[in-house]
């Protein structure tokens, strides 16, 4: 496996492209918006610089990695030579289904298709292609260059060969592959999102304020980041869509998204990416101000 195309150059796609380029793969990063691609390249360069400061990477390695990274707004030409396509576009079933159909039409027959979806069914996405045995979930964690876990999700029709190839690839980029079965939220988000939702519900009911909730989980449970700050970091729209999938998929009230989360997404307060969520990031993004609810 040498040539990898990453679809979607937002928070996750840019991080995934960064990691593969760093470990010697030729990358084409695709987005429908040129502005998103420009921003992704800027962000990747900044993150490489951070790795240089930490002594993880040399300047020459940064230059070599960037030289392996191309961008494109044309999916059809970007996947034409690919050995693997990793889809990391917006979390939306219809959008991803269309992307999978397009990739299937234009990618070589041997190409493997992975999705970074947080919660959507791998089996259902695979059904939009003529190669369901070659479709798999490759769920990276945010921030991708730092987090070592990749949750590998095996769809109903994913072949042993596809699973083996993707597991091996994950190890090659020095990440840890852990396999989950294809049910709503898989493993990581099925456990994480109800906790985040409960933190929002606790805030909504006025049991604690933003600071108290986050500090309790940090100091009391040893979490590196409180659940509300983590929700801002993930993106409140992403959190809401994962909860909707859990709620619909299992039909249980315990997964119903908190009304406060729905309101914040409707208002466009999506967390770090819009500078406002449970915290205000506009003055000092590293030390955001907790908001009152
Ligand atoms: P994002 O909003 O930051 O980026 C999504 C990008 O996809 C945007 O740049 C958008 O322009 C692009 N896009 C939309 N339609 C497209 C199309 N048809 N073709 C190409 N590009 C298109 O979102 P994100 O947070 O990077 O999430 C991407 C995926 O990763 C989602 O499936 C999400 O559930 C998953 N994920 C997110 C996180 C997280 O913490 N944010 C963690 C793990 C997985």
């Amino acid at each position: 496996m040498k040539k990898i195309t990453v679809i979607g150059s937002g928070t996750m796609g840019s991080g995934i492209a960064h990691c593969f380029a760093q470990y010697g793969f030729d990358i084409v990063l695709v987005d429908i918006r040129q502005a998103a691609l420009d921003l992704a390249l800027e962000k990747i360069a900044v993150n490489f610089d951070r790795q240089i400061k930490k002594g993880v990477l040399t300047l020459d390695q940064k230059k070599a990695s960037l030289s392996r990274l191309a961008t494109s707004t044309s999916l059809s030409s970007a996947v034409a030579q690919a050995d693997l396509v990793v889809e990391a576009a917006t979390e939306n079933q219809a959008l991803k289904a269309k992307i999978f159909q397009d990739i299937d039409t234009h990618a070589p027959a041997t190409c493997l298709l992975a999705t970074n979806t947080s919660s959507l069914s791998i089996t259902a996405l695979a059904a939009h292609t003529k190669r369901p045995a070659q479709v798999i979930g490759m769920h990276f964690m945010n921030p991708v260059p730092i987090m070592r876990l990749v949750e590998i999700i095996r769809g109903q029709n994913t072949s042993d060969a596809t699973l083996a190839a993707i597991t091996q690839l994950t190890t090659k980029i020095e990440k840890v592959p852990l396999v989950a079965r294809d049910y709503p939220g898989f493993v990581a988000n099925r456990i994480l999102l109800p906790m985040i939702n409960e933190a929002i519900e606790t805030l909504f009911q006025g049991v604690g304020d933003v600071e108290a909730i986050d500090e309790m989980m940090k100091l009391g449970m040893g979490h590196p980041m409180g659940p509300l700050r983590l929700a801002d970091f993930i993106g409140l729209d992403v959190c809401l869509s994962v909860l909707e999938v859990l709620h619909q998929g299992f039909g249980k009230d315990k997964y119903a998204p908190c009304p406060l989360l729905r309101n914040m997404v409707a208002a466009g307060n999506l967390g770090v990416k819009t500078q406002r969520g449970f915290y205000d990031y506009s003055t000092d993004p590293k030390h955001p101000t907790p908001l009152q609810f």
Side-chain angles (χ1 to χ4, degrees), residues 20-80:
F20 282 129
Q22 183 183 337
Y23 285 88
F25 295 91
D26 292 332
I27 305 301
V28 187
L29 183 57
V30 178
D31 207 288
I32 39 170
R33 297 180 300 124
Q34 184 59 47
L37 290 169
D38 296 343
L39 198 69
L41 284 183
E42 265 175 46
K43 190 176 144 193
I44 291 169
V46 168
N47 286 338
F48 275 136
D49 287 339
R50 197 168 289 157
Q51 288 178 312
I52 292 172
K53 261 194 206 144
K54 281 191 195 162
V56 175
L57 212 70
T58 64
L59 184 60
D60 284 347
Q61 284 171 324
K62 171 191 165 182
K63 284 184 187 157
S65 304
L66 285 175
S67 74
R68 288 190 282 269
L69 192 56
T71 61
S72 171
T73 50
S74 160
L75 182 144
S76 55
S77 57
V79 303

Side-chain angles (χ1 to χ4, degrees), residues 12-13 20 30 34 36 41 45 48 71-72 77 79 128 137 153 155 159 164 180 188 190 206-207 232 243 246 261 286:
M12 298 305 289
F20 282 129
V30 178
Q34 184 59 47
L41 284 183
F48 275 136
T71 61
S72 171
S77 57
V79 303
H128 290 277
I153 305 106
S159 69
R190 175 157 174 190
V207 181
D232 276 358
L243 281 164
L246 289 171
L261 175 63
K286 284 209 171 112

Side-chain angles (χ1 to χ4, degrees), residues 10-12 31 33 88-91 96 116 118 139-140 142 234:
T11 310
M12 298 305 289
D31 207 288
R33 297 180 300 124
T90 313
E91 186 81 343
K96 286 188 193 284
N116 185 50
S118 303
H139 182 207
F140 288 84
N142 185 13
I234 293 170

Side-chain angles (χ1 to χ4, degrees), residues 195 213-227:
M195 186 198 68
I213 292 167
D214 273 357
E215 286 306 306
M216 280 197 212
M217 295 306 284
K218 280 167 68 183
L219 295 175
M221 315 299 154
H223 290 195
M225 193 186 266

